[in-house]
């Protein structure tokens, strides 16, 4: 890999509720991946987890990630499944607080499909207003 390779950036754009399946709540997390490199990123797959207020509440994997052109960006949604136990803990924590926003942390490992290169880890942190959850 070229020493000038820069890791891609990931930004959380949205968090939407998806239809639940049994006891499992599902969400769609809208992401934007930015490629600061002169070569396209063909992401073979990724694993990811989403924490809210330091509680890991959702995780998932996907091989359905679009190609990111050189110096370009791609926007897409990933399905995530909740951790019921951690979601209950988070709910208990939220009931004790009176907050208008929630801190989140998205951790993702991207498999760029480049021989001899380990998976690229990316972390995005921020906050989301409670009114933005759809």
């Amino acid at each position: 890999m070229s020493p000038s390779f820069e890791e891609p950036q990931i930004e959380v754009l949205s968090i939407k509720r998806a239809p639940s399946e049994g006891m499992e709540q599902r969400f769609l997390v809208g992401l934007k991946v930015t490629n600061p490199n002169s070569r396209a990123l063909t992401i073979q797959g990724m694993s990811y987890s989403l924490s809210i207020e330091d509680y890991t509440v959702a995780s998932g994997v996907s091989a359905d990630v679009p190609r990111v052109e050189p110096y370009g960006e791609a926007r897409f949604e990933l399905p995530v499944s909740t951790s019921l136990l951690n979601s209950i803990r988070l709910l208990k924590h939220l009931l004790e607080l009176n907050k208008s926003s929630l801190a989140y942390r998205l951790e993702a490992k991207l498999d760029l499909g480049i021989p001899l290169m380990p998976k690229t880890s990316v972390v995005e942190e921020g906050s989301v207003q409670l009114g933005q959850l759809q």
Side-chain angles (χ1 to χ4, degrees):
M1 195 78 232
S2 169
S4 64
F5 176 79
E6 292 183 51
E7 291 193 358
Q9 296 140 11
I10 295 181
E11 181 181 346
V12 175
L13 300 176
S14 63
I15 301 173
K16 300 178 193 173
R17 278 182 282 185
S20 60
E21 295 179 13
M23 295 288 292
E24 179 180 71
Q25 177 62 54
R26 300 188 48 86
F27 293 90
L28 292 174
V29 176
L31 299 178
K32 177 175 75 170
V33 176
T34 303
N35 178 7
N37 297 287
S38 60
R39 79 181 268 183
L41 296 177
T42 304
I43 302 171
Q44 302 296 311
M46 66 187 294
S47 61
Y48 44 89
S49 66
L50 177 66
S51 299
I52 298 176
E53 295 292 316
D54 295 324
Y55 292 88
T56 302
V57 295
S59 60
V61 295
S62 181
D64 187 21
V65 181
R67 174 184 164 103
V68 188
E69 296 301 324
Y71 303 111
E73 60 187 38
R75 295 168 189 254
F76 55 98
E77 291 182 326
L78 292 175
V80 296
S81 301
T82 59
S83 162
L84 183 60
L85 186 56
N86 279 346
S87 296
I88 291 170
R89 289 179 183 146
L90 173 62
L91 182 58
K92 180 181 179 287
H93 174 74
L94 293 177
L95 291 173
E96 296 169 355
L97 303 174
N98 186 15
K99 296 179 78 170
S100 61
S101 66
L102 301 175
Y104 69 84
R105 177 181 176 95
L106 175 73
E107 297 181 52
K109 289 186 181 175
L110 307 173
D111 180 353
L112 301 177
I114 300 170
L116 304 176
M117 182 177 176
K119 291 180 177 143
T120 301
S121 295
V122 180
V123 175
E124 160 72 14
E125 294 180 310
S127 65
V128 63
Q129 297 297 317
L130 289 176
Q132 290 179 331
L133 291 175
Q134 301 175 1

